Amino acid sequence: MAAAGRDPAKLAALERSLTAVLVDPASATAVAQDAAQQLGYVVLAGTPEASAATLEAVAPLFADASRFDYARLVLDRVPGPQVDALYLKALASATGRTRLGLLDAIGTRGITDAVPALAALLQNEDAATAAAASLALARIGGADALAALARHSGTATPAFLNSRLVSAGLADAPVAARIATEIYGNTSAPLAQRSAALRTLIAANPASAVAEIHAALLGSEPAFHAVAIQAVATLPTPGSAAALADRLGAYTPTVQVALIAALGQSGDAGALPGLTTALASPEPAVRLAALAALGLLPGNVAVAQKLSDLALGQGDEAKAAFASLTRLHGPAIDDYFAARAADTGLSAAARAVAIQQLAARNQTEALPFLFSLRDSGEPALRLEVLDALRLIAPPAEQPALIAWALGAQPKAEQTRAVRALITTILRADDAETRAAPVVAALKTGDAAARLTLLPVLSRIAGQTALTSAGSLALSEDEAVAAAATAELARWPDATALPVLVSVAVGTTQTSIRNAAAAGAARFLTQATGPARDRRSTQARALLELSLELPARLALIHVLSLCADEASLASARGFLADPATAAVAQDAVDAIVSTLAGPPVVTSSATMEDPAVMADGNATTFWQVPANEAGTWIRADLHSARPVRKIFLDHRGRGWGYPGKFNVQVSDNPDQPGEPVFSTEGERSETVVVLPAGLRGRYVWLRLTGGRDAPLAISELRVE
């Protein structure tokens, strides 16, 4: 075809060649089908003389049931009366599947000369033939085809009615309305076709659509209700939404709720009066639906006022009213909320709703007014203002929020101001410069100001905030130093660790030293990567200080996570003190076990070497194809030691986590004992925190519940 291009001679030759293949009884099915498809394209592009010869050659295929489809592949796309005539001639003698195929093609081609033959087939004893004939007539359309269908309007089979509905969809509006009315009003017709007819009727006659919808909604048939309500969103006639909204009270509560939702989605403000009236319905569901719908329509000040009043209450309706207020749009509504927030004649609760709306609408132009309310005599109103500022105040307003926080008298207001300040700071992109205003206030403020603002630092983090907290932790004022140390201890990442160590070493206050050491111990326990390598040095340095027992015990516990001779020696140094002996012995046993080497891992599943789970390489995996109950993994820790946590790393193969499993701990390699803990694996990494006091040399993980996935573990660690 591509080689022939538009060359008439080449196309004619190709047409003859393909025709010969097609009509040859010896051609294989696939070859004949391909020839038919290609021939259809060639006939469309070829010469009339060649096409006439092809039509003559292809025509006999219509009478051959085994090759009828080839004829359609060639001719269905070819227009013209000569081709139409072939289909009509074949229809006269066709039966069965061939006849059904011809009827489909005739309808698709719109062959008007076929109407008499099709009309005769409407009474055929074969239901499929009658149905196909009716659909062909519907597709052809025109007065004669419609008249043929109308003569059999008493036929109520789904197929025939569907054909009539197709004809209605292709006809002009008056004809479509007439056909749809007949079917919709036929009580013996199936419900699905009557529902479709109602849809067609509403669309065909917009002028009477409201009346039809109203009548359907007054009835008791849910299928008609659904069709009528779906039509509401697309009604083109002005005033339709208003007319239906005004009639809401005539319908059942269930219908009202559905209709109200549709009116809300319609976007037609004409429904506002009717929906506003529905707010007084005795049915809670209707009231809630009306509240939701009002927020979707173009509103006005009257609607805003109504919703504002309802938002003052309690319960679901007040929440729905507030949500609708937030969505409400229309002329002067933003100005309405600004005026209502400033109206001192209103209750504090009413003004609070307006203030909340200013924030919900991101009305940043109201910021000067909102800050002016810091001097309001209504404590509850000031709290609402601070919540609003938390939502919309830009970072540039930090000084004003700092001043508010420092000047607030009730603790609740001060806390709310600090919360607003934190959120406002976090809106700034630069983590280092954003803390400058609060750091400056901390530097110049008195002790009370510092105690108020210090909680900001750990929430905003960053080096600037960290430096400030570290400096204040060394303050001579013990309360300020304690608050700053507490902030360092709750810092969101381990960047606070070296600062805590410096504070513990540099402070002259015993309470601060102990708090800093305890905070450092928390970070040292969690240390990963390079920080793990420094863990021993930092823990031992802190243990050289004069510390109270809780801080010393926390740091001795850190030693148990280390694997160096210096940590072992340090831990042994605490064995003589009865207060620290037990924790020190645990640390000694853990370090000795770790120094002996990685755990020796074995498993009941031996198709891969379990030792890779302890090779220290996160890129190697022990993997077995089945995550089956009964499979066990055992870790030999070389000597008895405390067992607090188990880590299973699946990163890189997150799907390979275990199903449910038990943990057993024992000193006997052949007797694991009773389970001490049961849990389930988690994607990426499974961390098992065991009950306190467990000791042993051997740790078993025994699957009790399988998963439909392989089991894959890169590293197994015990702490």
Side-chain angles (χ1 to χ4, degrees):
M1 183 74 181
R6 296 186 176 276
D7 187 318
K10 291 181 179 180
L11 287 171
L14 179 59
E15 190 169 337
R16 289 191 296 271
S17 175
L18 291 170
T19 302
V21 173
L22 177 61
V23 300
D24 184 354
S27 295
T29 300
V31 173
Q33 181 175 324
D34 183 62
Q37 289 175 321
Q38 296 300 321
L39 185 55
Y41 291 112
V42 174
V43 170
L44 283 172
T47 63
E49 295 79 9
S51 297
T54 299
L55 294 183
E56 184 177 354
V58 171
L61 300 183
F62 280 115
D64 185 344
S66 65
R67 297 198 291 172
F68 163 73
D69 291 327
Y70 301 156
R72 288 196 64 186
L73 282 173
V74 176
L75 299 179
D76 270 3
R77 291 166 295 184
V78 180
Q82 289 179 307
V83 179
D84 290 347
L86 289 179
Y87 281 93
L88 287 176
K89 182 179 179 181
L91 179 63
S93 57
T95 59
R97 192 180 72 84
T98 300
R99 181 165 58 190
L100 295 177
L102 285 167
L103 289 170
D104 175 65
I106 288 169
T108 301
R109 296 176 66 85
I111 303 175
T112 56
D113 289 344
V115 169
L118 296 175
L121 290 174
L122 291 177
Q123 295 179 307
N124 192 277
E125 60 184 12
D126 177 50
T129 296
S134 67
L135 182 58
L137 284 167
R139 289 174 172 173
I140 293 170
D144 291 341
L146 293 176
L149 289 170
R151 286 194 293 272
H152 295 271
S153 58
T155 302
T157 64
F160 183 79
L161 294 175
N162 286 339
S163 295
R164 294 203 71 201
L165 288 167
V166 170
S167 72
L170 298 173
D172 57 29
V175 173
R178 175 176 56 78
I179 295 171
T181 300
E182 291 177 6
I183 298 173
Y184 176 49
N186 184 354
T187 56
S188 64
L191 183 60
Q193 282 68 41
R194 293 184 68 198
S195 299
L198 175 59
R199 184 178 294 107
T200 300
L201 177 58
I202 293 171
N205 194 355
S208 64
V210 169
E212 294 294 349
I213 291 172
H214 177 60
L217 295 179
L218 287 175
S220 59
E221 177 49 62
F224 297 159
H225 295 165
V227 171
I229 287 167
Q230 288 170 3
V232 169
T234 57
L235 288 176
T237 307
S240 297
L244 288 168
D246 290 343
R247 302 180 188 184
L248 276 169
Y251 312 130
T252 66
T254 300
V255 170
Q256 288 186 60
V257 169
L259 177 57
I260 287 170
L263 290 169
Q265 294 294 332
S266 73
D268 190 336
L272 287 175
L275 294 180
T276 304
T277 301
L279 295 174
S281 169
E283 295 290 337
V286 173
R287 297 196 299 271
L288 284 171
L291 286 168
L294 284 170
L296 300 175
L297 297 175
N300 53 47
V301 169
V303 173
Q305 183 169 353
K306 183 69 174 178
L307 291 174
S308 296
D309 292 340
L310 292 173
L312 294 175
Q314 300 294 324
D316 292 341
E317 291 184 31
K319 293 177 183 177
F322 187 86
S324 278
L325 273 177
T326 303
R327 294 190 301 267
L328 192 66
H329 61 284
I333 290 179
D334 288 345
D335 292 340
Y336 165 78
F337 287 123
R340 192 173 174 87
D343 189 348
T344 56
L346 295 175
S347 68
R351 296 178 69 191
V353 169
I355 289 168
Q356 292 164 359
Q357 285 302 314
L358 292 175
R361 293 161 176 274
N362 197 32
Q363 294 296 302
T364 54
E365 59 269 28
L367 285 171
F369 163 70
L370 291 175
F371 276 108
S372 74
L373 291 178
R374 174 185 167 188
D375 298 325
S376 169
E378 295 282 355
L381 196 63
R382 297 197 300 271
L383 294 180
E384 291 294 346
V385 170
L386 286 169
D387 283 345
L389 291 171
R390 181 170 62 88
L391 293 174
I392 65 173
E397 297 293 351
Q398 281 188 62
L401 285 170
I402 290 171
W404 194 324
L406 296 181
Q409 294 302 319
K411 182 64 176 177
E413 184 175 339
Q414 185 181 85
T415 301
R416 203 77 65 96
V418 170
R419 187 186 305 163
L421 175 61
I422 292 168
T423 305
T424 301
I425 293 173
L426 290 175
R427 287 197 186 97
D429 295 329
D430 191 327
E432 298 310 321
T433 61
R434 69 188 183 189
V438 74
V439 167
L442 283 165
K443 185 176 182 179
T444 59
D446 57 16
R450 290 174 172 178
L451 291 173
T452 298
L453 297 177
L454 269 168
V456 174
L457 297 181
S458 65
R459 275 69 168 186
I460 62 175
Q463 188 58 47
T464 302
L466 182 60
T467 301
S468 176
S471 174
L472 291 172
L474 295 172
S475 169
E476 294 181 359
D477 187 303
E478 187 170 359
V480 171
T485 304
E487 288 303 303
L488 290 169
R490 66 169 65 98
W491 211 258
D493 56 51
T495 57
L497 174 58
V499 180
L500 282 165
V501 173
S502 296
V503 170
V505 172
T507 185
T508 59
Q509 302 180 63
T510 301
S511 62
I512 304 306
R513 182 184 307 113
N514 282 282
R522 181 177 76 86
F523 285 113
L524 287 169
T525 301
Q526 301 167 354
T528 58
R532 183 181 296 171
D533 300 332
R534 297 190 296 269
R535 180 155 53 190
S536 172
T537 301
Q538 290 173 318
R540 287 184 288 107
L542 290 169
L543 282 167
E544 293 294 326
L545 303 174
S546 175
L547 299 174
E548 295 175 354
L549 183 61
R552 276 185 291 152
L553 293 177
L555 289 165
I556 295 170
H557 170 68
V558 172
L559 294 178
S560 71
L561 304 175
C562 300
D564 59 285
E565 294 292 344
S567 292
L568 181 59
S570 179
R572 283 174 171 159
F574 291 96
L575 290 174
D577 185 346
T580 58
V583 175
Q585 186 63 61
D586 279 350
V588 168
D589 292 342
I591 297 169
V592 168
S593 168
T594 306
L595 285 173
V600 178
V601 184
T602 54
S603 174
S604 60
T606 58
M607 62 280 295
E608 290 196 23
D609 185 4
V612 299
M613 287 185 275
D615 64 0
N617 185 350
T619 64
T620 60
F621 279 83
W622 174 79
Q623 181 172 320
V624 292
N627 202 321
E628 293 181 350
T631 301
W632 56 261
I633 300 169
R634 186 184 71 187
D636 178 358
L637 306 178
H638 306 290
S639 59
R641 56 159 293 167
V643 180
R644 303 184 183 96
K645 287 184 182 180
I646 302 170
F647 299 85
L648 300 177
D649 191 346
H650 326 289
R651 283 170 292 187
R653 300 184 188 179
W655 38 261
Y657 59 94
K660 294 180 179 179
F661 63 93
N662 289 335
V663 179
Q664 297 162 288
V665 180
S666 171
D667 286 325
N668 189 325
D670 300 318
Q671 297 180 3
E674 294 298 318
V676 296
F677 197 74
S678 297
T679 188
E680 190 169 358
E682 296 182 7
R683 187 175 294 275
S684 294
E685 184 178 39
T686 299
V687 180
V688 183
V689 180
L690 296 169
L694 289 177
R695 291 179 59 86
R697 173 173 173 172
Y698 301 96
V699 175
W700 280 264
L701 307 180
R702 194 179 303 272
L703 293 180
T704 59
R707 288 183 59 247
D708 187 18
L711 177 59
I713 300 173
S714 62
E715 291 296 305
L716 184 156
R717 290 190 297 111
V718 177
E719 290 185 355

